[in-house]
Amino acid sequence: MDREEYVEAVLVAVESIPPGRVATYGDIAEYVGQGGPRQVGAVMREYGGAVGWWRVIRASGIPADEVVDQQIQLLRGDGVRVTNGKVNLREVRWNPEEQ
DNA sequence: ATCCTGACGACGC
DNA sequence: CGCGTCGCCAGGA
């Protein structure tokens, strides 16, 4: 799998996250089966604009520093509760299986 | 090959 | 809950 295919795979995975749910960088990496959380982050930085990048969040439930404000707004737009700058993953974490 | 860097994550304190 | 440390995986210099 070359880099371009990898990027595609990641973007497809991100697009499959339903509004109202979120996935962590690690979740996407695991789903794609290649690379790690940092690679997913790199793809978001570069091509996130093409998909629902704001539905990808850190495992801590706190958005990446670079985009924290906008990500919170967009998530709220999806109906996701954000308390004290943090998302409760236990209730909105995306589960690829239950698709 | 080597070093540095990073939209990350698990762990220990 | 906040922090520092270390592991991880690639890309670019």
Side-chain angles (χ1 to χ4, degrees):
Chain A
M1 172 179 266
D2 60 31
R3 183 162 164 68
E4 185 176 344
E5 294 176 313
Y6 179 70
V7 169
E8 265 317 298
V10 169
L11 296 181
V12 167
V14 173
E15 284 193 296
S16 66
I17 306 170
R21 311 295 297 286
V22 305
T24 69
Y25 293 93
D27 288 342
I28 300 301
E30 187 180 351
Y31 181 81
V32 171
Q34 284 293 306
R38 309 187 87 122
Q39 280 58 242
V40 173
V43 172
M44 287 301 99
R45 185 183 61 203
E46 202 167 357
Y47 309 98
V51 295
W53 62 269
W54 62 92
R55 304 196 176 112
V56 183
I57 197 170
R58 283 185 184 147
S60 59
I62 300 172
D65 305 335
E66 293 84 344
V67 293
V68 56
D69 290 331
Q70 190 172 26
Q71 183 155 22
I72 289 177
Q73 300 322 308
L74 290 167
L75 283 173
R76 286 194 162 129
D78 275 355
V80 174
R81 280 203 322 249
V82 184
T83 311
N84 296 318
K86 185 175 59 177
V87 170
N88 185 333
L89 291 176
R90 294 205 289 195
E91 71 178 340
V92 297
R93 193 172 195 167
W94 174 55
N95 180 326
E97 311 314 315
E98 69 177 87
Q99 208 38 221

